Amino acid sequence: MEWSEVIGQKEAQERMMQMISERRLPHALMLCGPVGSGKLALATAFACHLLKLDPQTASPKPYSANMEAMLNKLEHPDLHFTYPTIKLPSMGSDHKPVSLDFAREWHELVMQGLYFSMDDWMQAMGGENQQAIITAGESDELVHQLSLKSSQGGYKVSVVWLPERMNIECANKLLKLIEEPPQQTVFIMVCQEPDKLLETIRSRVQRVDVKKIDDDSVRQALQERRGLTEADATRVARRANGNWLKALEEIETDSEKELFLDLFKQLMRLSYQRKVRELKQWSETVAGMGREKQKRFLEYFLQLVRENFMYNFHREELCYMTQAEEEFAQNFARFINEASIIPVSNLANRALRDIGQNANAKIVFFDFALQMIMLLIQK
């Protein structure tokens, strides 16, 4: 993994490289930033760079074709990945799933590219209807792996993807490991929701904020990696708004997005018409989707609510809707105004929280639909 494979993010890269050049490399870093900004790609590129260095001098170790091959395949013995996992039916009742249980699936996914979503990972594991977490068994495995001597005589690097998904037992064990790290070990956490991490962990890591990818870098990557014309790449980059995953969605057939728009339109029309029986059917349809998909729908809902609100200002540069979304907004946007935008957003955020906490989806979405009737009546 080379720096050239990271899209944009020169500022974050320079900051991390400066830590090395100034001999101020902390034993634990946490990269925080929005979805699609390339945090995992940044973390992995930095990890690979560290594995090429002599920890004592911070200078490159003698070139080794074997080491280069291992890094290119992300199979270096001193590079450890930790990520959320699920419990498969084949696992014993006492077994706590760990990353090694899904090492083959993880390696296949990252070798396709280090820009992917939680949904992509859930599909790779075969558990779309479960909640993926990092268990206490994972921290025990990390203690064992990192206690071993470096196989190449350099750094040992632990990349933890989405540490906010650790359960409390795992978080407490990892905290002890960070407080007393093994020699020449660097932790790189890739965090999307840092507020969900223990404060004691946040206080013991050096945070690096990763911004959205700049539009020029997205445009250039679309041209070089996806073969788009400059005009098409510019249009897609603007709509992606710094999110490489969204840029890919824009250039690929996205049946899920069409489904979410249809569900959004059904909800709003049925709520406006106060058709409670049909809304119950709607809620059961959404409840039948996997939890990760339900969360993505609610996130899409929040995004579209924001776009409809901005549509009322008649400022094209502020709106990022597709043609189909804009056609619906022409008649609907007036319902998302100064009086309703906050309560509607709060309602969706509460549903998102409840689904994330494994609440009964049928109850959550039926209540969500009924509350929407009241909010549209009060427009």
Side-chain angles (χ1 to χ4, degrees), residues 12-63:
Q13 175 186 337
E14 289 171 2
R15 181 179 174 189
M16 291 189 288
M17 294 297 284
Q18 188 176 13
M19 294 175 185
I20 297 174
S21 64
E22 296 180 355
R23 308 301 298 273
R24 295 186 297 104
L25 180 65
H27 69 275
L29 283 168
M30 184 167 71
L31 307 187
C32 303
V35 175
S37 57
K39 301 181 295 297
L40 181 59
L42 263 174
T44 306
F46 187 54
C48 290
H49 182 78
L50 288 176
L51 292 170
K52 297 177 182 179
L53 301 180
D54 182 331
Q56 305 303 321
T57 64
S59 58
K61 294 188 292 187
Y63 176 79

Side-chain angles (χ1 to χ4, degrees), residues 67-300:
M67 182 183 71
E68 199 72 29
M70 290 189 295
L71 290 176
N72 288 337
K73 294 181 180 180
L74 298 180
E75 292 179 337
H76 195 289
D78 295 326
L79 175 61
H80 305 282
F81 285 103
T82 293
Y83 34 83
T85 58
I86 58 172
K87 189 161 188 174
L88 297 175
S90 58
M91 295 176 177
S93 58
D94 295 332
H95 180 71
K96 296 178 180 179
V98 295
S99 297
L100 283 177
D101 293 330
F102 298 91
R104 178 179 59 82
E105 292 83 354
W106 176 263
H107 187 256
E108 289 176 355
L109 186 61
V110 296
M111 290 308 294
Q112 294 172 22
L114 284 156
Y115 292 83
F116 54 83
S117 65
M118 186 65 200
D119 182 52
D120 295 327
W121 176 228
M122 293 297 290
Q123 289 181 12
M125 287 191 291
E128 295 179 66
N129 293 319
Q130 296 191 48
Q131 292 271 60
I133 64 169
I134 301 177
T135 68
E138 185 66 45
S139 54
D140 294 335
E141 185 65 29
L142 262 182
V143 170
H144 170 70
Q145 291 178 348
L146 298 177
S147 64
L148 302 175
K149 186 177 180 181
S150 167
S151 67
Q152 304 294 309
Y155 284 110
K156 292 175 290 183
V157 185
S158 174
V159 177
V160 184
W161 185 54
L162 303 183
E164 62 266 35
R165 287 185 177 247
M166 291 187 293
N167 63 21
I168 190 65
E169 186 180 359
C170 177
N172 284 323
K173 287 184 176 182
L174 184 63
L175 173 62
K176 293 180 180 179
L177 191 58
I178 293 174
E179 288 178 330
E180 300 177 8
Q183 188 178 13
Q184 296 181 181
T185 298
V186 177
F187 293 91
I188 308 176
M189 298 186 182
V190 180
C191 191
Q192 196 163 294
E193 300 176 283
D195 290 344
K196 291 184 178 181
L197 268 176
L198 290 179
E199 171 60 31
T200 44
I201 291 181
R202 297 203 304 267
S203 66
R204 285 164 174 77
V205 300
Q206 184 161 332
R207 175 167 171 164
V208 176
D209 287 310
V210 180
K211 300 176 182 177
K212 298 179 191 176
I213 308 173
D214 63 280
D215 286 356
D216 283 343
S217 294
V218 174
R219 176 189 54 74
Q220 184 177 349
L222 287 169
Q223 290 180 260
E224 295 175 353
R225 304 184 184 196
R226 298 290 167 162
L228 269 64
T229 64
E230 183 176 358
D232 287 342
T234 300
R235 177 182 57 80
V236 172
R238 181 179 178 278
R239 283 186 48 76
N241 193 27
N243 183 335
W244 178 248
L245 297 179
K246 188 174 180 181
L248 296 181
E249 288 179 3
E250 291 292 329
I251 62 175
E252 296 171 359
T253 302
D254 190 0
S255 57
E256 182 177 88
K257 195 169 183 179
E258 294 176 6
L259 169 64
F260 287 170
L261 175 59
D262 187 52
L263 289 171
F264 182 90
K265 293 193 292 189
Q266 286 180 37
L267 172 63
M268 296 310 179
R269 286 168 176 162
L270 293 174
S271 298
Y272 181 74
Q273 296 166 2
R274 307 183 198 182
K275 293 186 176 181
V276 176
R277 181 177 297 178
E278 287 82 353
L279 283 171
K280 187 174 188 298
Q281 294 175 345
W282 178 91
S283 64
E284 290 173 350
T285 297
V286 181
M289 304 187 302
R291 287 196 178 269
E292 292 298 329
K293 194 170 185 177
Q294 290 164 6
K295 290 193 285 187
R296 291 198 306 278
F297 167 68
L298 290 167
E299 289 166 354
Y300 174 83

